[in-house]
Structure formats: C-alpha cells, structure tokens
Amino acid sequence: MKNKKVSIIIRTFNEGRWISSCLRSVFDQSYDDIEIIIVDNNSTDKTLEKASLFEVKVVKIDDYFPGKAINLGVENSSGDIIVCLSAHCIAKSNDWLHNLIRNLDNPNVAGVYGKQEPLSFTPDSDKR
C-alpha cells in the first residue's frame, strides 16, 4: 500500500469527550500519508476547538444524514483511499490503519472494515 494517500473522514456532533483521543490515535499511526477531514454537524461543545489543535480540515454540515456527511467528506478529500471513522473510536495500536488497508492492493478486494470494541462503560444497547 505504498504511495497511496488515505483520507480519513470523521463525522462529529458534540464529540468533545472523544475527539482528542481519536485524533491522537490517528496521528500516531505507522502509516503516515494521511489527511483528516472532520465533517461537523454544528457541534456546540468543544469538539472543533479541540480538533483545531491537530492538522485537520473541517467541513460543516447543517442537515445531517450519515451518508450525506460521508459524501461531503469524500468531496473534500484528496486521498486515493477513503476511511470512515467515528469520532468516538480510538485505534488500539499504531498499526491499525496499515492493517485495515493492506489488502486493498489485491484486485479481488473492493473494501475492508474493522471491528469496534466497546469500552467497559459502553451501554449494553450500544454493544454488538
């Protein structure tokens, strides 16, 4: 997966509790040809203030629909590969991104996904 820029699109709405940890884990990745696009749905907490401490592009959306937000992120991206990440997700290792995209060089692979592990205090209704 050499020479492929990855655009990581992160949708946010009042994710001030998580955004710094999420962005730190993304910027700590061993794969470093990345850009981060935050698609924010008018957060009223400190989400954007905290995100501004990182090298990110912020795009705002008023009428939020998940697919519309992702499409807006894609329209504002320049990467060869698109990764969609929730703002409350924190990579468990610095090889997360490399491991996620490594099989995309295989012509039989059109897309990949990773699992999300709940935290100890995640409500049962959010666990799958």
Side-chain angles (χ1 to χ4, degrees):
M1 203 41 55
K2 300 251 186 217
N3 301 323
K4 299 257 180 152
K5 184 175 187 175
V6 176
S7 296
I8 301 175
I9 298 168
I10 303 173
R11 296 173 295 164
T12 60
F13 174 68
N14 290 340
E15 294 284 358
R17 177 178 182 189
W18 300 107
I19 194 65
S20 295
S21 296
C22 173
L23 290 172
R24 265 194 304 277
S25 75
V26 169
F27 282 105
D28 283 345
Q29 293 302 300
S30 59
Y31 193 99
D32 60 1
D33 192 4
I34 63 172
E35 71 173 344
I36 311 300
I37 297 106
I38 292 182
V39 181
D40 186 71
N41 182 217
N42 298 313
S43 290
T44 57
D45 66 355
K46 295 189 180 283
T47 298
L48 294 179
E49 180 182 329
K50 291 178 178 185
S52 72
L53 300 175
F54 298 85
E55 188 176 331
V56 299
K57 178 190 286 187
V58 174
V59 180
K60 296 187 180 186
I61 188 169
D62 291 323
D63 298 323
Y64 179 78
F65 296 95
K68 184 177 179 182
I70 290 170
N71 287 340
L72 185 59
V74 171
E75 289 171 12
N76 285 275
S77 70
S78 62
D80 303 296
I81 298 169
I82 302 294
V83 172
C84 300
L85 185 66
S86 296
H88 56 270
C89 293
I90 302 163
K92 288 183 72 171
S93 75
N94 67 346
D95 289 331
W96 160 76
L97 185 57
H98 170 76
N99 290 331
L100 181 70
I101 66 172
R102 70 179 173 200
N103 291 311
L104 292 175
D105 282 334
N106 181 331
N108 295 317
V109 175
V112 297
Y113 68 94
K115 72 178 183 174
Q116 180 176 334
E117 295 183 11
L119 299 170
S120 62
F121 54 84
T122 300
D124 287 340
S125 61
D126 285 342
K127 293 179 183 177
R128 296 181 199 28

